[in-house]
Amino acid sequence: MANHAENNPSESPEYIPAVEDDRLAERLASITEEEAEARAAALRAGLSDYELAEEDAALLDYDEDDEDYEPYVAAPPALAVIGRPNVGKSTLVNRITRSKEAVVEDVPGVTRDRVSYDAEWNGKDFTLVDTGGWEQDARGMHKRVAEQAEMAVDEADAVIFVVDGLVGATAVDEAVVRMLRRKKKPVLLVANKVDAPSHMSEVYALWNLGLGEPYPVSALHGTGTGDLLDAAVKALPEFAEHGGMIPTGGPRRVALVGRPNVGKSSLLNKLAGSERVVVDSVAGTTMDPVDEFIELGGETWRFVDTAGIRRRQHMASGSEYYAMLRTQRALDKAEVAVVLLSVEEPVSEQDVRIIQMAVDSGRALVVAYNKWDLMDEERRYYLEREVTRDLAHIAWAPRVNVSALTGWHKDKLAPALDTALTSWGRRISTGRLNAFLGELVAAHPHPVRGGKQPRILFATQPSTKPPRFVLFTTGFLDPGYRRYITRRLRETFDFTGSPIEVSMRVREKRKRK
């Protein structure tokens, strides 16, 4: 059986003797870079005998660019949007950012954390911070929401205070004014939902709040927002008072994803060293993706806490549905995903689906097992069996065992992220790649099918992040053989933490005229 598997790697793609690993590594090490490039050039020239499509030229003529390190610059100023619940803060945020990133629903309390968005007006970049509704005598989760809003004011360089222009100033609005006066920040008073001249009577009364001229706007329709932003830009300083320095290209973006209540927000708070995100035992507390700059491992990272994914997208509704869309968008914008699993519960179908979502999005991947400090030996035994059975397809992802509650092993997260991102951006030279495939095929050729044996003519890596390899072949390679090549690529060149894609382009030989 062993001989059969060795001669047919496509039927047993996991089989490779350890001694063969060593021999392949030795043979590759003995080939100089000049020899590898000469071999690749000869193979590339041989492609002229085959029918090539127009799009092949872009792949074959790709020239690798050197990456430059970017200098650090001061962070842009921060503009916080605050007000009591359901006055239209998130709608105004979406209007200013020209997007639908903030979750909006016609019920109070959808926004709970302070959520940052990049914004720009007339050439001025700034950070717009959406907040949950501020209430003076709030209790429970609502109290923590109000505390987050107040912290946003503390860290902001200017504040937009939103009131309902149809209702006028309420007792809660007056309490917000007292809080803002204590903070001594520039404040722009906004009367929202003013859609017609007949609504202006309530707007004039807002002068009594003592915050200066109120700006009547309709966040829903966009009227009045230009004048508001003109004034806001004038009130903002050139750089953020509390923002520090960030790379011009931005810190590496990390998306925290997972099921509800696995500890994503608790982990973000522990990494930030403050109560950055509202944490509650109620599942689904986080609705909007929450960005935070985290100092970890000697560098700055941009972590994004996302809403917990509890079901398939087509089964969700209302704010939960839109929160899921924003989680997917946050994942698409990230460079690396940290999938958080709880060791207290068995690996579920939903966990596997979330992991697959991260892999399908092409992000680098780190798997973090939370609540490790609560696990006993019996649960450890069953967890290892679950990981082997259910997560074997991502055995290449770094694994970190942490405790979001105590911060145990949080320092191990940065090395895992660095490893995954290094692999995600790794490029193999064309010469070295073709030398590798030449040695691999010589040791384990593709099996003969129907009297024919497809050959690999040439290989190239047209892109990174994630690494993508294209093989020009004379016929289709068996799925098992492609998996075999993928696994050996991963092992030989160390793509720990990164998905890799291997695709084929079958090309026929030119007919002689």
Side-chain angles (χ1 to χ4, degrees), residues 117-136:
Y117 302 99
D118 294 328
E120 178 271 337
W121 180 253
N122 285 344
K124 173 74 171 180
D125 293 321
F126 57 95
T127 299
L128 193 65
V129 185
D130 190 15
T131 65
W134 191 91
E135 298 176 87
Q136 185 176 21

Side-chain angles (χ1 to χ4, degrees), residues 78 80 82 114 129 131 134 143-157 159 179 183 185 242 269 272-278 292:
I82 193 169
R114 62 186 197 273
V129 185
T131 65
W134 191 91
K143 180 180 180 181
R144 290 191 289 277
V145 171
E147 289 170 350
Q148 289 292 318
E150 203 162 329
M151 290 169 68
V153 175
D154 289 334
E155 297 180 4
D157 298 289
V159 177
M179 182 270 288
K183 304 297 182 181
K185 297 289 178 76
H242 303 286
N269 284 342
S274 65
E275 294 302 307
R276 173 63 184 85
V277 190
V278 174
E292 178 69 2

Side-chain angles (χ1 to χ4, degrees), residues 291-485:
D291 287 32
E292 178 69 2
F293 293 106
I294 302 290
E295 292 292 331
L296 192 64
E299 62 180 304
T300 301
W301 305 79
R302 187 168 187 167
F303 273 75
V304 185
D305 183 21
T306 63
I309 303 173
R310 74 177 77 217
R311 64 189 77 186
R312 295 179 187 271
Q313 184 169 312
H314 69 272
M315 298 173 63
S317 61
S319 58
E320 184 181 23
Y321 171 78
Y322 290 105
M324 287 179 65
L325 290 182
R326 285 155 178 80
T327 296
Q328 180 63 64
R329 187 178 301 173
L331 192 57
D332 292 339
K333 289 181 178 180
E335 296 170 278
V336 55
V338 175
V339 179
L340 207 60
L341 305 177
S342 173
V343 300
E344 291 184 311
E345 305 170 35
V347 176
S348 68
E349 179 186 350
Q350 187 66 5
D351 290 322
V352 175
R353 190 180 302 122
I354 291 167
I355 289 171
Q356 194 59 47
M357 181 191 301
V359 173
D360 290 344
S361 67
R363 305 306 99 179
L365 179 64
V366 172
V367 180
Y369 292 85
N370 189 26
K371 307 179 184 179
W372 195 263
D373 53 326
L374 303 178
M375 188 170 62
D376 55 30
E377 287 301 319
E378 181 180 2
R379 176 61 191 137
R380 186 191 300 261
Y381 168 77
Y382 286 106
L383 176 64
E384 294 299 335
R385 294 184 61 183
E386 291 164 14
V387 170
T388 302
R389 182 187 67 230
D390 300 324
L391 303 182
H393 63 296
I394 55 153
W396 44 265
R399 171 175 165 177
V400 182
N401 304 324
V402 299
S403 170
L405 187 63
T406 65
W408 182 77
H409 272 190
K410 69 175 184 179
D411 57 315
K412 294 186 180 295
L413 200 54
L417 293 172
D418 279 326
T419 297
L421 285 168
T422 299
S423 299
W424 196 56
R426 176 163 288 129
R427 180 177 294 282
I428 310 303
S429 71
T430 303
R432 189 59 59 185
L433 176 61
N434 282 277
F436 159 77
L437 287 170
E439 297 293 338
L440 191 69
V441 172
H444 294 280
H446 190 287
V448 176
R449 298 291 189 229
K452 295 183 178 181
Q453 186 179 47
R455 292 188 298 117
I456 299 174
L457 301 169
F458 186 76
T460 184
Q461 184 186 354
S463 62
T464 61
K465 302 180 180 181
R468 185 167 71 92
F469 301 91
V470 178
L471 311 181
F472 289 85
T473 67
T474 60
F476 285 100
L477 305 182
D478 286 352
Y481 199 78
R482 292 203 304 272
R483 289 195 298 270
Y484 164 64
I485 291 174

